[in-house]
Structures are given as C-alpha cells and as structure tokens.
Amino acid sequence: MDVIMALLIGLLYAAGIFMMFRRSLVKLIIGVILLGNGVNLLIFLLGRLVKGKPPIIAADAKVLVEGAYADPVPQALILTAIVISFGLQAFAIVLIKRAYKVVHTDDLDDINTREEEE
Amino acid sequence: MTGFLLLGPLLLRFATAIALMFAWRQIVWQRYISLVGEALAVTASAVLLWQVQTKGTLVMQAGNWAAPYGISFVVDSFSAMLLLVASMVGLGVSLFAAGSMLNNRLRFGFYPIYHFLLAGISGAFLAGDIFNLYVWFEVMIISSFVLLTLGGERSQIEGAVKYFTLNFLASIIFLTALAMLYGLTGTLNMADLSLRLAQVEQRSLVDICAFILFVAFGIKSAVFPLYFWLPASYHTPPVAVTAIFGGLLTKVGVYAIIRVFTLLFPWDAFIEQMLGAVAVLTILSGGLGALVQKHVVKSVSWLIICHIGFMLAAVATHNQQALAGALFYMVHDMVAKTGVFLATGIMYRLVASHLYSKMGGVMQKHPGWSVLLVIPLFSLVGIPPLSGFWPKLSMLIGMATAEKWWFFGAVLVGSFITLVVVMRLWIEVFWKPASQEEVVGFRYFKQYPTAKQGAMLLGMLVMVGCSLLIVYGAPQLQSWSLQAAEDLLSPQVYLEQVLKIGKEIEP
Amino acid sequence: MRTALIYHLLLSLVWMALTGAFSFDNFIFGGVVCFFLLRLVMGSTSHRYFTIVPRTISFVFFFLYELLKANIQVAADVVTPPFYMKPGIVGVPLAAETDTEISLLANLISLTPGTLSLDVSDDRTTLYVHVMYLKDEQAFIESVKNGFERRLLSIMR
Amino acid sequence: MLSVLCACVIAALGLPVLVPRLPAAWRPSLAILPLGSFVYFLLTPISESQLLLTELPPVHLWLKLDGLSRLFALLITGIGTLVYAYSGYYLKNHEGQGRFYGFISLFMGAMLGLVLANDLYFLFICWELTSISSFFLIGLNQQEAKARSAALQALTVTGLGGLALLGGAVILQIHTGTTQIDALAARMPADFSVGITAALLLVWAAAFTKSAQFPFHFWLPGAMAAPTPISTYLHSATMVKAGVYLLFRLSAAFAAHPWWTPVLTTVGAVTMLYAALHALFRHDMKSILAYTTIAALGILVFFIGWASPLSMQAALLFVLVHALYKAALFLITGAVDHATHTRNVLRLHGLRKQLPALAVAGGLAALLNGGFPPFLGFIGKDLMYEALLHEHAVIGVPLLLVVNVALLYAGLQVGYRPFAGSAMPEGEVSKVSFWLWLPPLLLAVLGLLFGFLPQMPNALIAAAHVAVGSSGFAPLQLWHGFNEVLAWSLATLLAGVLFFRFWPMNRERLGWTEKVEMFSPAALFTWLASSLQLFARRYTSFFQHGYLRYYVMTVVAVLIGGISLLLFDDFAFKGSFEPLLELTFYELGTLAMLLAGLVFVVFTPSRLAAVAGLGVMGFAICLLFVFYSAPDLAITQFAIDTLTVILFVLVLYKLPRYIRVSSMAVVLRDGVVSLVFGGLIALLALQVIHQPLQRSVSTFYAAQSYVAAKGKNVVNVILVDFRGADTLVEITVLSIAALGVYGLLKLRLRAEERRNRA
Amino acid sequence: MTELLVMVLTGLGSLFVLLAAIGLVRMPDLYLRISVTTKAATLGVGLILAAAAVWYNDMGVTSRVVATIFFIFLTAPVGAHLLGRASYISGVPLWKGSWLNRLEGKYNPSKETLAGMPTAEHEPPLAKEES
Amino acid sequence: MSLEYYLLYIILPILVLSALLVFVRFLLGPHLSDRVVSVDLLMTIGVGIVGVYAMATAEATFLDIAMILGLLAFLGTVAFSYYLIKRKKND
Amino acid sequence: MKSIILKAAAGFLLPLLLLFSLFLLLRGHYLPGGGFVGGLVASIAFVLHAFAGGMKKGQKYFPFHPGFLMPVGLLLAFLSALLPMVTGDGAFMTGLWYPHPVPVIGMLGTALFFDLGVYLLVVGVTLTIIFTIVEAA
Ligand code: NA
Ligand code: NA
C-alpha cells in the first residue's frame, strides 16, 4: 500500500505542477489545489498509515493502547494545513473573479505586462 | 510573567489587530489604535531585548507542555534584535500609512491586516517549532497577499497572481520538507529536531530536507533563481505596503535560513556550496536587475534581491564575524529599505511619477525633503558613517578571514552597483530639473491636509531616526551581533534552554 | 396536536428512564406503550393525534411498499438488455397548496423510482413530473392524485 | 585635531542654513574656518598617534600628525582658506551657495581626516566622504545635464576605487593583523604573499582612480563642469592628491614589493605623457588645466614608483609646487571667466589692461609652473631630473623633458596668453573684485618667495620625507651648480618657450583630438557602461520574462536538479513490494478512483468538469482518510472540498470557456517535467518511510491526552491544547482571507483614487 | 439474529446501490439516470444505515443513524429535483424515445419563471379532488 | 463466515464496484449535469461505504462522517444546480 | 434559485443543521468534530438557506454582518489562550479546567471556549466570503 500511495502522491504532485504550467488562471488554481492535496497525503503517508484505528481514546479507557492507533500528530498538522490552504485558495478563487473583471480573460499571458515593458 | 515578556510583541499585535477589526470602518480610530498598538509593541520589544541581553535566551512552552511536546517560543539575542527593529519599522510605516493611505483602503481593512502581518512576522521570529514557523509564514503570506491586492487594480492583480503562485508553491515545498522531517524524526520542535536529525542514518535524506527547506525559504527571501515574484509585484501596491514588504518580508526568509541552517542541520560542504553559489548569483542578478530599471520602486525592489545575497553570502561564510555582519546587516536593511521605499512614496507625491524620465526637480523645489531623504538613500548604499557600512565591513572581514574571495568580491561588486543605482536615482529625481508641468488631478503632497502631511513626515522621520540610531548604536549592535552569531554557531545554549524548561510529564 | 406529540415523546423518555435501558428498541417499545397509554388516559379517540399517527405509520409503510415495488420493476429493466421505457414529462395539476404540502408530494414522487418531480409552476397549479414508464398520461395523473396526494393531504390537513 | 574635524562637520551641517542668511559681503569671512585650521597645523608639532575612539572595532578613530600629514593638511587648509574667501565673492549670486559651503566644509573635514588617519578603515571612511562630497560639488550646477553626468561619472570611477580600497584594507588587516597604518610596514610579511599582492592591487586601484591615472583619468576633465573654485580645490590641489597621498603613506610598507616600481613608474609615465600631450590640444583654460593636473599626478606616481630617497623628495616637493601654481592658475581662470564669460584662450587676449593684478598673478604662476628660476618650481624640476639621473632612468629623463615642456606650454597658455597681446573691447571685460585676484596672486608670490628662501618649505618637506620612511634628505636649494641636471632644466625651459612662440594654439588642432576620441579610455568607459547596461537588460529579461509558468518551471527544475543530485548520490531503492499483498479491493478501488479523477481533472477541456473532478478526488481522499483512521481529517477534507466547489461555482459562471490549447510538444515537455518531479517525490517518500519510526511525541499525546488535557479525541486535543497555538494562527489566516475577499470584491477605487496610487 | 438481520439488510442495500450504479451507466438520458439512481441508491444506503442502527443498538449511535437516514431521504429527492430542473433549463436534451413533453415552452429562462398548465390543455378536464 | 469478513470482503467490494461504475458515468459525461449526478451518487455510496466500514471496524465514530458526507453532498448538488441556472441566465 | 421544494427543505434543514453543528462543537474534544467542522456545518446551513431563499435574503438571518463574528471568535480564542497567563503563572494556551464535569458538555475548560471561538470565526469567515461573492455577482 505504501508504494502505491507514494506513487499516487507523486502523481498528485506531477498533476499539480502540470496544471501550474498551463496558461489558464483557473487551471493554475486547480493545480495549486492538487498540490495541496498531494502534500497533505504526503504528510499522512510519512506519519505512517494505520488501518481502522483512529486516535480516539475509547469511552472506557484513559489512554490509547500502545502502538494500536494511527499517529495523531500528522493528522493535526494536515488539519491545520488544509484549513490554511483553504483560506488561501478561497482568496485565490476570488482573485480569478476580480482578474476576470479587470482583464476580461483567464489567460495568464493576457494578464501579463512584460516586466521590461512600460 | 515570562510569558507576557516573551510574547509581548506578538500578543500586542494580535490584540491590536482584533481591536482594529472591531473598529471596522472607524478609520480615525483605527489610526490611533494602530499607532498606540505599535508604539506599545516597540516598548515591549525593547524591554524584551534588554531582558535577553541581561538574562540570556528566554523560552516559553505554550500550554506548559515540555519541549518536544508543546510548542516552544524562544527569544535569543538574534530574534530579540529583529523583533525590536521590526516593531520600529512597523511604527514608522503605520505613521506613514496614516497619512498616505487612501481612506477607501483604510475602510477595507488595511490596518487590521497590516497588524496581522506584523504579528506573523514577530511570530516567525519567536517560533521554536518548525510547524509553528510554517503557520506564521502563512499568516505573512495571506496578509501580504491581501495587502497587495487591496484595491484590485490591474497591475495589482497581475503582480498578485505571480506573488501568490510562487509563494504558495513555497509553502507546499516547505510542507513537503516538514513531512520528511516528521517522517524521519517524529518531532517538530527545532531543538529536538536538531538532536534527532543528527541520528538519521541515511544522510542523503537529511541533505535533501535541507535542500528542500532552502528552496522554500529561498523563494520567500527571493534568492536566485527563485526571486521572480518580487520584482513582479513589489511596485504594484501603495507605498506603505511596499515599504513594509521590502523592509521585513524577505528578511524573515533570511531569518529562517539562518535559524534552520545553524540549528537544524549540521553544517557541511554541501550546504556551504549551495548557499554560497546562490548568494553570489543573487547579488549579481539583483544588481543587474536594478541597473536597468526605469522605475524608482522597481530599482529599489531589485536592490532587495541584491542585498539578500549579501546576507546569504555572509551566512555561507560560516564564521562569527561574517554571521554577525549578516545579522547586523539585517537590522540595517530592514530600516534602510523601509526608509527608501517610504522615500519613493514621498518622491511620488512630490513629482507625480515613478519613472525616472518624468521625475526631477525635487532638490530645487523641496530642499528640506532632499536633506531628509538623502539619509535613507545613502544608508542603503552604505556610505560611511551611515548604517549600511558597519555590517558590510564586518561581513567583508569575516569573508576575508575565511578566504571566501568569491563572496568578498560579490559583496564589493554589489555595493558598487547599489552605489550607481542610488546615485543615478539621486541625480534623476533630485537634481534633474522637473520635466513635467503639474499633473492635473494628481494629489500632490502639498494638497494633503496638514495632519496627513504631518503623519507622513513623522513616519519618514521615524525611519530616518532609526537609521541614525543604528549609526549611533553601531558599537552596541556590533557587539550584540557578535554575541548572537556566537550563540547561533554553537547552539548548545539554545538546546539546553529549550529542552529543559517546562513541567516534564513522563509518558 | 403539538402538545400531544411533546407529551408522547416525554412519556417515552420517562419509560426509558424507568426501565433504565437507553437503547433504541426500548425507546420504540416505550413509544408504542405510551401511545396506547395516552389514548387511554386522554379518554377520547376523536383527538386528531390519535388518527394521524396511525395514518402516518400506514402511509410510511405504503410508501415503502411502493418504493420497493417500483425499485424492483426498474431494477429488472435496468439489468436486462432491452429497454421497455416510454419516458415523458407530465404536468400534474395540484390540489396541494402550501409549500410544505407541495414539497412533500414532489419529494415522494421523486423518491419513487421511475418518476422525478422536475418543477412546480410559479402559480403552484402544476407539478411537472418526468415519468419513465408513461403509457397513458391521464392514468398517471390519476394514480398520483389518488395515491400519494390523497393520502398525504389526509395527514397534513 | 579632533576639534578641527568636528568644526568641519559642524560647519558642513550649519553653513547650508547659515550662508543664505549671511550678507554677501560677509561671506569671504567664512575662510576663518580653514584659516584657523591652517594656523593650528602650522603651530602644532608633529605628534604621536592619538587613539580617540575604539568603541567599534575594527574601526578606530585614530589620528596622527606626522610630516606627511602636516604637508597635506597645510595644503588643504591653506588653499582652502583662499578658496573659501574667493568663493564668497565668486559664487555670491549662485543659488547653491549654502550647499557649496556645506559640502566643501564636509570635504575639507574628510580630507583632513584622510591625511590624519592612522587607521585603515578610518582612512577609508574619509576617502568615501571625499568622493561623496565631491559628487555633490561637481553637481552643484545640477540643472546642467553635463554637470550631472560628470558627477555620476566621477563618482562611478572613484566609488569603484573606494570599494577597492575597502577590499584592500580588509585584506591587509587579515594578513597583518592590524589596521594601524604606521604599524603596517613592520608587520608586512617579507615574502609578500598572494593576499598582500591582492591588497596592493586593490590599493592601487583606489589610488589610480582617485588620482586620475591612465586609464581612469577621464572623469577628471569632466569634473571641470563644477564651478571653478571647486575645481581648484578638489581637482587640482587636494582631492586628486588623496591617491598620491595613499601611495606615499603606504610606500613604507609596500615599496619593497617587486611590482611597486615597475607598475607605478609605467602607469605614471603613461599618464603624464598622455595627459601632457592632450593638454596641448585644448583651448578651454579649465580643460588645459585638467589635463596638466592629470599629467602632474602622473609625474607624482612616477616618482613615488622609483621609491628612492631622492625621488620621494622630488615627489613631495612637487606636491607643494603643483598645489601652489595649479591653484593659482585655476583661480585666475575663474577670475577671467568671471570677467569675460569665456575661458577660451583663442578668444582671450590683452587682459592685462583691464585686469592688471590678475595679469601679474598669471605671469608669476606661469613662471612658477614652468620652473623658471628663481621660483620654487625650478627647485622642484631640478630635483626631478636629479632623482631620475640618479636612478639612471635612460628613458625617464627625455620623457620627463617632453612632459615638462608640454606643461610649460600649457602654463603659458593659461597664465600668459590671455593677458598678452592687444586689449579686448572695453564692454566685454568687467572688473573683478579684490577677492578674485588676491588669492592667486598670493599663491604665485608664495611660489616666488619659497624659491628665494627654500629653507622655509625645507622643514616641511623634510618632515614629510621622514614620514614616508625615506632617509637622506637633501636640503632644498635654488642653485646646484653647473651640472647635467641644470642642462636638462635649461633645455626644458628653452624648448618650452620656443615651442610656445612658434607653435601657437589654433582652431584646427581641435579637430585632431576629436578624431581619436573614440579610442580614448573615456569612450571605452562609455562603451563598457553601455555594454553592461545591455548585458544587464538581456540577463534580467532572460530570467524576469514575465511568464509565470516558466517561473514555476524554474523552481521545479531547481528542485529536480537538487533532489536528484542528492538522492542518487547514495541511492538504494528502499521500497519493498511486500505490503502490496495486504491491499484490499476497496482500497484499490478508492485509489483507482482517485487516480482516474486526477487524470480527468488534468485533461478535461471544461473548467466546471474539472471542478467536479476535484470533488470526486476530494471524496476519494476522504475515503482514504476514513480507511486509514483519520475521521477528523475525513470530515474536514470533505467540508472544505464542498466549500471550494461552491466558491468555484459562484465564481466560474461568469468566465468564458477555455480557449487556447497548448501544442502537443509543450504538453509533452510539461508532462515529462512534472512526472519527473512527481517521481522524485514518490521516491523520497519511499526512502523516508523505510527509515526507523520515531514516536515519542505521539506516544506522549496518546498517554496524556485524557489524563492531563481531558480530551479523548487526541487529534482535537492536539488542535486545541498541545498545539493550540497553531490553531489560533490558522484561524487568523482564515479571517485574513475573508477580510481580503471582502476588500477585493467590495473595494472599488474611484477614478481619481486610481490615478493616485497611494 | 441481529447478525443475520444485518447481513440481509446490508446485502439488499448494496444490491440496490449496485443497481443504481448500473442504471446510471446504462440509462440513455440524464433524466432517466436521475430517476433511476436517486431512489435506488437512497434505498440501498438507507438499508445499510438501518443495518448499522440495528447492529449498534445504542441510543446515541442509533439516533444519529436514524437522523442520517432521515436526512438522506429528505435531501435526495430535493437534490434530484434541483438538478433535473437546472438541467432542463440549461438545455440538457430528453432521450429520443420520450414521447411527451408538457414542459415545452413553459420556461422563461432569463427570468427563471415557469408557467402552469391551464386546465384546458388537459383532455378531458379533470375534476377537482375532494379533500 | 464472520460478519466482519462478510462486510469487508463482500459488501464493501460491491459498494466500491458500484462507485467505480458511477465513476465511469462521471468520465463519460456528456453533460456537466451527468457528472454532477455521478458525484452526488458517489457521495451517497460513500455514505454506505463509511457505514459498512464503521460496522466492520467497530468504530462508531465513522458513522458521523457518513452523516456529514450526506449533508455536504447535497450542498454540492445545490451549488451546481445554481451554477447551471446562473450560467444559462448569463448567456 | 426559485424552487419552493428547496425552500421548504431548507427551512426544515436550517435548525437541524445548526443543532448538528453545536453537537459537533461540543463533542469535538471526545469524538471527531470540534469547532472547525461545527462552524463549517453551521455556515453551510446558512448558505443552503441562502441558496434557497435567494442570496440577498439569506443574509437576513443575521442582525449584523456575519463578518462581525470573525473578531468575536478570534477574540474569544485569543482570550482563552491568554487567560492562563493572566490568572496564574501559566504559559500561553495552558488549559484551565473547571474541576468537575458539567452535564452534557463534559469537562468545561478554556479549550472549549477556544473551540467556540474557532466555531464562531469559521461561521463568520465562510459566510463573509460566500455572501460577498454573491453580492458582487
Ligand atoms: Na484546525
Ligand atoms: Na493546528
């Protein structure tokens, strides 16, 4: 499973980057989202995968049973990262809207003024 | 009490920002809240610096959880110095913005976001936990992103898209490195990481972590060849925003590089070569970029890149003298860059353009301003005895001692280019006769109400005052920097302080 | 009506507390016991609550039966290669008037396989339904009106 | 000494404010500042070095007045006195008079500091200050484009030299362990390591740029754009001598270096010859003087290069002589300019009628310059020939002759020719004040006086001679007897006079120089500067081209390069395929869906379909989180995905459809780059995952979550307690984003606000 | 007993879900797909959740499961209606075998209004139901 | 045959297979609406999957995920419908 | 969207979802949930309502702009992190707990108020973003 998961994460990175190479602003943002998903899964994978053992202390227990639970730290990190990227993505999506209103295109090359021009 | 002392600058920014959010649209009140908050932050930072100098490195464990388990907040001489300077810069820009910022932008949350940005910066200086550092970075990104786009003009959007994309990419890269660090060590506390990374068997993975982190911080601090977002965006927002960006943001990246490469990773040839090569190329790229600009703000933006290279080169030199120079230079650069950007704002208000070709006549028409603005400009160049000279000298001596002639040469070349760029600016803007009639509909400085003029002038004076203060306090700063550099290069004190404090609960 | 319902629920909870078994089936059981108890205590079988509850329950079972039946019918068509469909969109005139009535009706029609409430006209006179096996428009309308609509309205009103 | 420097700094700060408020007639009285200093230096005995401030190592405010310092300090303050007095009248209507006095005081202070400094870094600081103040002085007439570009050019060249000096100083400090100048010689390693040589080269670069040696000389004629008193002070008598001073100062330490003599004599020779010949082809008095100044500086460097007691003595004396006559000639030029509004020698003649005192001064100065007996110049010239003959410099002597003849010629052009011949029309010449003719006259008379009474400057020069580490000072005397030296000296005078008589200046000669102008170092400099500009432009736009996707690609390329370099350095594939067997159908199905969704998102031509695809992917990831024990993550991921979809939907319906499609080749290239990058990440992940697992932190959380933090959902306890600070920051990010969205969509700048980018 | 009930319920439920999936793939137009899937899947998932309710038989869990079932039964038809309506308005065509379309021409998409059907259109006119 | 085995190796695969089939429709389209139906159905199936998984692993906490999944899937459909109509209006 | 069916459903769902969101908030410390998800569910309830009743009307559920919840939530979270520093020698973010369990809620402590702050803030943020977009459309 680890191998396939790792490959999948690699593909998510690849897809995210590929989308960021495109000319459309929307695709760019989608790429950003894909990358975000990829990195979250990477944190998840590198915290090691454990099946069916959520880090929740049972109603009648006071501690988690040694070794028989998924590492809660990566989960907490991912939660924070997800929320943060949501904030950024939300703003970026609205930026698309604003950009379209101002520039009337979603083509990044049309949004461009070459830096050496002006 | 340690808590309030240590987190003071951070908590004050937070409280100020929240208060400003409650004062939404009350722009008169907002100005006062911002000023009072930032003045308090300056005081708190000064007290903190004083305490750190007398008591040594201070640590607070959030939630009283002992070091690797809870989040550590750490202040050593290095971060205390930067905290103080950042708050002084914050105060200056806050004042300036009180006068220069469009009311409309103030109505849409300039001040709260500005203080969140400052909170993010101070948080980054305080973080003793690498993930906590990441979240502070995110606060900086999102607030800078918002400040950059506030107003939504075409050029702003254009700059913001690049700024966003590359900085977001940097965050992803940062997180990738974090994932690896956690996967290798199972910890996030920087002190703990320092110990555990040394035990990792497959060294190439540690080097890769170092490399990936470097790329992430490199993007944020705009080094070669990762700087693209900076020249693409810094000239687009209002001047107060550019000033705070130019003064502080990239320096936080450098701070992170210094922290990470002195604390986390054992220094080795790979790191040295990587930092060194990048530093030299950064100096040259930034300098060459600055040479060709026809736009005042753009020239100065490129100089940011050039000077980031100075600091990196000094870090790569890896001896106390050079590192102390780098730290001192950071302090100087924060003040000088902010001052220069604010100066460009004043120039713009005086001559209604940012293009060299359309500027001119400032000295003839506004001799007073010329006298005031010359100080940040020349400080930036490092003309002795102004502030830039002292740290540069320290860096050069360190580089020569370590026989890093490439760095040595690059810093000299970079200084020369800075000299030429700033002098050309001086000639074009101040000496050259005004080349255009007054632009109709443009709001010249003299057309601002007196209170706003005063605020801008005061803001500028704060920056100039800071610049001169650095000159006056150069011996003190130099000795602090040397001390801080020593602490950085042998981080035992840091490790002991962090890993021993807090109520230990054995699992 | 509402007080009766609340009272009924309260009683059921008390039942659970008395028996000390906080499980779902005990709650249902308590509910049934309390229903008859209430009916006994309140003394009048004419209270609407006591007619509506059994009607509702029977309606639920009627609906579940319809659901199952139609599902099997459709399922058979879905898995077998040839289609026997004769789809079309029908306008069903509405007797239901309030938003809740119309919505409930529309949703029930949608939930039944083979039919899908597409929209209600703005004047709330017509419910447009997409029907999968539409042999006779009129017959379909009749079936809706005599089936779901009548039973539903008898509960709602 | 410190008080003198402080007085200069205070004057620099105060005079710009004070002078405009001072009645014009009073302004020459400002000369009290240099005059007082002059007297001070005249009376103060040569002192031990004084260490005044050491708070900021490695820089020490370390002053020392020795013979060399005193010679220069007296020149600086003495000529300064005259220039202050002269300028008070000369510039009385100039709008920048306040600035002028400020900067010239700053300059004087810096120059004094420079010659008094006994610390390398303090010397450098003063050096830089002289460059900067001269920049402002050259650009005093800032409305003129010529002045501005001259100022920038001068600063560029001297600034470059300044940085070289800084570099040299640092290297010297590293190699000798001291910054104390008078200790350098003793600490200099005997074998002159590479480092020392590098330092020497850098010091030379500084000296040559400042003292306008070939090929760095070209900024000096340009600097003549400044008002004449400034040219007098900076570009003849003092600042340009800073380089020479530096060579004098360091000669004790470096003269034994094998490169010292060959390099300095060559550079000096080339410079003096080149400049002297150039001077013959000029007709602007200031221009002539500029070139002769360069030539004189060349002579100085040339003689310092020989590094013999005699040559040093000759050089030191020439410093004094040159200062006297060159300052006089410059001041005369200024006065002539003031009176006639021209400096063109072709148009000036017979001024002796209207300006008799000035004519006297001119004549005397020309003679002093030419080295006619009994002027001090004669002694100087003799000493030079003597020193060269003593060194058996076979080429040097005739070379010097040529240069001296040219200089004599040029001196006559400026000091004699404008006053000779028929008188100019009355209206074209206005009277000049006493303040304009007295200073040059004073200088010229002094030159004559010193010639008669060489014992007056004798002590001064002798002390300087000691200070530069030479021994065997030969007392100055007017008459040496009949010898070879006298023969060369007389030959020089004769040739010069004949030359002046029979090869008068005319217009055609101007054309000759313009023809070779394109090969001059100035042209080279311009070419270099513009090539650098071009290169910088190309380089910058190569990287900063504006296309975001290539920026991203650069970042990715850097990552790919670095990671693969490090990863494959000691690579052993650590992934094992064993865990594949545990794979269940539902996991595989979920992964398949994730994968297919990914492919769909990437390749679908419709934006909205891509967004829907994102929804599918989010769903699959959510299922993975469920399978791998992360319920909180599953919920959050799903909630956020839904919100993202909503946001996209609300935003996208206004946008047009995708139009452009990249070419296949581009897609292929991008695909390969992305896949390589993704592959590296996957490999890295596998490598990390096969490292031993460390769990102490999460073990602590597992044990303490309920006991100490009273929560059973460990993830949530981490979020609100163990790592609550992160969460506080995280929600801050969210609120900033919301404020940003609000501002971005609601704030509309009005048109006039938009114009006012503020 | 409980276990058997759970097996039967989940078995039936998963079969309905599978049917819905097959239907979604096979049905020739969107409206038919919605028709087929919404109900089958809802029923199937409802059955599975019912099985969970039975299996846990704990007040806390079961009440949440019942709430979920209730919730799905409430939202599924509404979702189906919304999507069907939106698709019709946005012009998703009917299958060629559809023989009646009473909606034709009733929509005014720009104002998002829908006209009712005058009784005259029906043949024969319907008597209003008693209630 | 234990219940856990039954759930994990018979029911869950059927559900995942159904999800994959639904996904086929998602890929086929042809209209956005078809994709939206697919996503909606996918989420509904997800509710079932999570429910079964909750029983199989005896983790009742997963059932709450099912609930939220159901809630949010609906919202997605609403949003897309909104989009379809808005876009039409905009034309 | 003009759909009475949706409107009726949304009217039904709003209280249900709000209740559910509170439930998620309160039990977050023990089971999956917490302020963040709770806040999201609550805001989704309002968004749904807004979709049904027209976006402009959807905002009328608030007597004030939902953005006001942001500083309130932030302040609450901030103060509960700050409280231990003020009351004792505790560090930033130290959990302070009322020593006895409270019915329904369980243990009452600063962590809960922190979570409540998160909840309010998330509602404020989400609604501000979505309503702003809709208004600008
Ligand atoms: Na969170
Ligand atoms: Na967190």
Side-chain angles (χ1 to χ4, degrees), chain D residues 132-153:
Chain D
I132 289 297
S133 41
S134 97
F135 167 77
F136 280 98
L137 290 169
I138 297 172
L140 199 68
N141 293 328
Q142 45 189 254
Q143 282 77 16
E144 295 166 15
K146 217 176 82 190
R148 294 196 301 270
S149 71
L152 186 61
Q153 196 180 53

Side-chain angles (χ1 to χ4, degrees), chain A residues 75-81, chain B residues 71 131 135, chain D residues 715 718-720 723-728 730:
Chain A
Q75 296 189 16
L77 302 187
I78 296 171
L79 272 175
T80 306
Chain B
I71 291 176
F131 193 78
V135 293
Chain D
V715 174
I718 295 178
L719 287 177
V720 298
R723 299 187 64 87
D726 285 350
T727 309
L728 184 61
E730 158 207 323

Side-chain angles (χ1 to χ4, degrees), chain D residues 429-440:
Chain D
V429 185
S430 54
K431 286 281 171 211
V432 294
S433 153
F434 151 85
W435 289 112
L436 293 192
W437 59 257
L438 188 61

Side-chain angles (χ1 to χ4, degrees), chain D residues 210-553:
Chain D
K210 197 86 163 179
S211 284
Q213 296 301 293
F214 186 90
F216 305 115
H217 64 277
F218 53 88
W219 65 267
L220 202 151
M224 294 299 147
T228 305
I230 295 170
S231 309
T232 313
Y233 198 35
L234 271 63
H235 306 120
S236 64
T238 53
M239 186 184 84
V240 290
K241 298 253 173 66
V244 173
Y245 169 81
L246 187 68
L247 294 178
F248 274 128
R249 190 44 93 198
L250 296 179
S251 64
F254 281 118
H257 195 286
W259 294 5
W260 180 269
T261 302
V263 171
L264 288 191
T265 49
T266 311
V267 169
V270 170
T271 305
M272 66 188 189
L273 192 64
Y274 176 91
L277 293 179
H278 258 269
L280 299 178
F281 296 87
R282 309 279 144 182
H283 56 94
D284 176 3
M285 291 164 76
K286 277 183 91 169
S287 186
I288 295 169
L289 291 177
Y291 278 98
T292 57
T293 302
I294 297 170
L297 294 167
I299 293 172
L300 285 169
V301 170
F302 182 71
F303 277 93
I304 296 171
W306 287 112
S308 69
L310 213 50
S311 73
M312 281 299 189
Q313 189 179 340
L316 286 168
L317 181 61
F318 189 58
V319 168
L320 177 62
V321 174
H322 177 250
L324 291 176
Y325 78 71
K326 190 52 63 68
L329 288 175
F330 261 113
L331 294 179
I332 289 162
T333 304
V336 167
D337 192 9
H338 198 266
T340 63
H341 303 289
T342 181
R343 299 190 306 245
N344 188 342
V345 289
L346 299 177
R347 288 213 251 137
L348 292 165
H349 46 86
L351 288 176
R352 66 182 183 283
K353 304 271 167 41
Q354 289 100 333
L355 307 168
L358 207 57
V360 172
L364 292 177
L367 294 175
L368 174 61
N369 166 46
F372 286 92
F375 286 86
L376 186 63
F378 177 71
I379 306 177
K381 188 150 59 28
D382 278 8
L383 253 179
M384 288 190 216
Y385 284 119
E386 191 179 344
L388 284 188
L389 291 169
H390 193 264
E391 295 291 328
H392 307 292
V394 187
I395 310 172
V397 178
L399 198 65
L400 188 65
L401 176 79
V402 173
V403 171
N404 273 336
V405 167
L407 290 186
L408 195 157
Y409 178 92
L412 291 173
Q413 284 289 359
V414 177
Y416 172 73
R417 182 168 167 156
F419 302 98
S422 57
M424 291 192 38
E426 198 61 38
E428 286 182 19
V429 185
S430 54
K431 286 281 171 211
V432 294
S433 153
F434 151 85
W435 289 112
L436 293 192
W437 59 257
L438 188 61
L441 187 63
L442 216 56
L443 285 168
V445 168
L446 211 57
L448 183 61
L449 191 66
F450 283 169
F452 276 121
L453 304 167
Q455 52 273 34
M456 281 175 72
N458 198 49
L460 198 62
I461 304 296
H465 198 246
V466 172
V468 299
S470 294
S471 54
F473 181 76
L476 304 179
Q477 43 192 215
L478 192 57
W479 184 245
H480 291 267
F482 291 101
N483 52 20
E484 199 183 347
V485 174
L486 185 66
W488 284 104
S489 191
L490 291 178
T492 308
L493 296 178
L494 192 65
V497 171
L498 289 176
F499 192 32
F500 181 70
R501 177 68 188 80
F502 295 108
W503 199 63
M505 171 67 85
N506 59 41
R507 255 171 237 288
E508 290 135 43
R509 255 188 274 160
L510 233 53
W512 302 359
T513 47
E514 274 160 15
K515 277 178 200 151
V516 291
E517 200 59 35
M518 56 196 293
F519 301 109
S520 72
L524 186 73
F525 173 83
T526 315
W527 179 81
L528 266 177
S530 62
S531 319
L532 181 68
Q533 278 284 328
L534 188 68
F535 171 71
R537 186 164 292 117
R538 294 238 172 100
Y539 176 89
T540 303
S541 53
F542 176 75
F543 284 104
Q544 196 72 18
H545 40 61
Y547 292 104
L548 180 57
R549 54 183 178 283
Y550 296 115
Y551 295 163
V552 174
M553 198 173 277

